[in-house]
Amino acid sequence: MAHLLEADHISKYYGNVVALSDISAHVNAGEVTCILGDNGAGKSSFIKILSGVHQPDEGRLLVDGEEVRIASPRDARAHGIATVYQDLAMVPLMSIWRNFFLGAEPRKGVGPLGWIDSRAARRIVRKELADMGIDIRDPDQPVGTLSGGERQSVAISRAVHFGARVLILDEPTSALGVKQAGVVLKYVLQARDRGVAVIFITHNPHHAYPVGDRFVILNRGKSLGTYEKSEIDRQELVRLMAGGRELAELEHELEAIRAEV
C-alpha cells in the first residue's frame, strides 16, 4: 500500500557541506512519525524539503505513491502538507480567531462589497478547538495571553481545519515546561486520532516516545535507522539519540576530570 507521504533517499548539499545524505522516511494517515536528532543532525533541512522551502539534490518525494515536485510552501499546502514552525507565525496582539484564519476569514457578501463574518469565525474557532479538546475562554482574547502550549494547540487546530492531511511539527515542545509539553503532546494524539499523518520533529526522545508510532534517528545528516515502536524501547531510543559511543566517551572524560579534582 502506498504511503501518504514518503521521502525516498533524500540528499541535500550546500556547497561542500552535506546537510542530508540518503534519508528515507514515511508517514501514513493516523500515524505519528518522529524525526529525532540533536542540533546539526539535519532536521531543519529535512523539514524545509518536505514543506517546499528547499528542493532535494537527490531522491524524491511521493504523495499517495505518486512522485511529486514540491517547489514551494504553496505547493506543499496544495498537497495537504502543513508545517507548524516554532515561531507559530502568530500575531500576539491579535485575537485568537483572527490568528486562526489570518487572511482566510469566512465572508458575507460578494466581491469588494463583502465583509468578514466575524460571528461565523468565532463559532468555527470554538468548534474546531473544542473538537481538539481545547476549551478557550474567549475567542476575542489576544493570542499572546495564551500559554505556549495553548498557542501550539491553536496552530495545530488551525492546520487541521484548513485541510492538512500531513501535519509537520517543528520542535513544538522545545521551549515548554513539563506540563505545557504534555498539553501539546495530547493535541498531537488528537490530530493523529482524527486521521492526520503527523511528522513530529524533536531532539527530545522522552517527548517522542509516548506519541510516536515510528522513529527516524538522524545524526550529522545521516540516518541511524528507522524503528517501529514495537522494535525499540525508550531506553534504547535515548541511547541511540545520545550517540552511544560518543556518550560513553564523554562519561569517561568526565570521570577522568573528577578524578583529577
Side-chain angles (χ1 to χ4, degrees):
M1 184 182 73
H3 301 299
L4 179 46
L5 175 63
E6 181 177 4
D8 183 38
H9 299 289
I10 295 292
S11 295
K12 181 66 181 176
Y13 312 107
Y14 299 101
N16 293 327
V17 177
V18 180
L20 295 171
S21 177
D22 197 31
I23 304 299
S24 294
H26 69 269
V27 66
N28 297 311
E31 290 183 351
V32 179
T33 292
C34 298
I35 310 294
L36 294 115
D38 213 338
N39 292 335
K43 303 190 304 297
S44 293
S45 294
F46 193 61
I47 291 173
K48 288 174 181 175
I49 287 172
L50 295 180
S51 59
V53 175
H54 291 165
Q55 308 306 307
D57 293 310
E58 296 173 3
R60 58 186 187 149
L61 296 175
L62 300 96
V63 175
D64 295 322
E66 296 289 329
E67 185 173 350
V68 297
R69 182 174 184 271
I70 301 177
S72 68
R74 179 173 292 182
D75 280 352
R77 290 191 294 272
H79 287 293
I81 302 168
T83 304
V84 176
Y85 292 100
Q86 285 175 284
D87 61 12
L88 299 179
M90 288 188 176
V91 184
L93 296 179
M94 196 177 283
S95 68
I96 295 172
W97 73 265
R98 292 302 297 264
N99 270 281
F100 189 93
F101 289 100
L102 278 180
E105 294 86 353
R107 301 183 67 84
K108 284 186 174 180
V110 180
L113 298 179
W115 66 94
I116 294 173
D117 188 348
S118 58
R119 181 177 296 180
R122 291 181 178 90
R123 184 179 68 251
I124 291 168
V125 167
R126 282 190 179 280
K127 179 182 183 303
E128 288 296 324
L129 294 179
D131 286 348
M132 292 285 288
I134 307 162
D135 183 21
I136 60 170
R137 294 175 290 278
D138 179 4
D140 283 304
Q141 73 184 90
V143 80
T145 63
L146 300 178
S147 69
E150 288 171 329
R151 286 196 296 273
Q152 284 281 354
S153 66
V154 170
I156 291 170
S157 181
R158 178 175 68 188
V160 173
H161 170 73
F162 283 104
R165 301 172 63 211
V166 179
L167 179 62
I168 303 171
L169 301 175
D170 175 23
E171 296 274 8
T173 60
S174 65
L176 303 180
V178 174
K179 185 175 181 180
Q180 289 299 320
V183 169
V184 172
L185 295 178
K186 181 177 79 171
Y187 298 135
V188 170
L189 293 178
Q190 289 271 15
R192 181 201 67 183
D193 292 344
R194 291 181 66 177
V196 177
V198 181
I199 297 177
F200 180 19
I201 314 290
T202 182
H203 66 273
N204 192 326
H206 299 290
H207 291 171
Y209 197 79
V211 300
D213 297 295
R214 182 177 305 103
F215 308 95
V216 180
I217 304 170
L218 301 183
N219 185 297
R220 298 178 185 176
K222 296 182 178 179
S223 173
L224 298 183
T226 298
Y227 302 88
E228 300 294 324
K229 194 163 193 171
S230 60
E231 299 173 334
I232 192 169
D233 60 22
R234 189 195 303 254
Q235 185 176 355
E236 178 66 8
L237 186 65
V238 171
R239 188 191 71 78
L240 285 171
M241 179 73 194
R245 187 178 67 181
E246 293 176 12
L247 183 61
E249 290 174 355
L250 177 60
E251 290 175 346
H252 180 71
E253 289 175 13
L254 292 174
E255 296 224 350
I257 293 170
R258 286 195 206 99
E260 291 175 4
V261 173

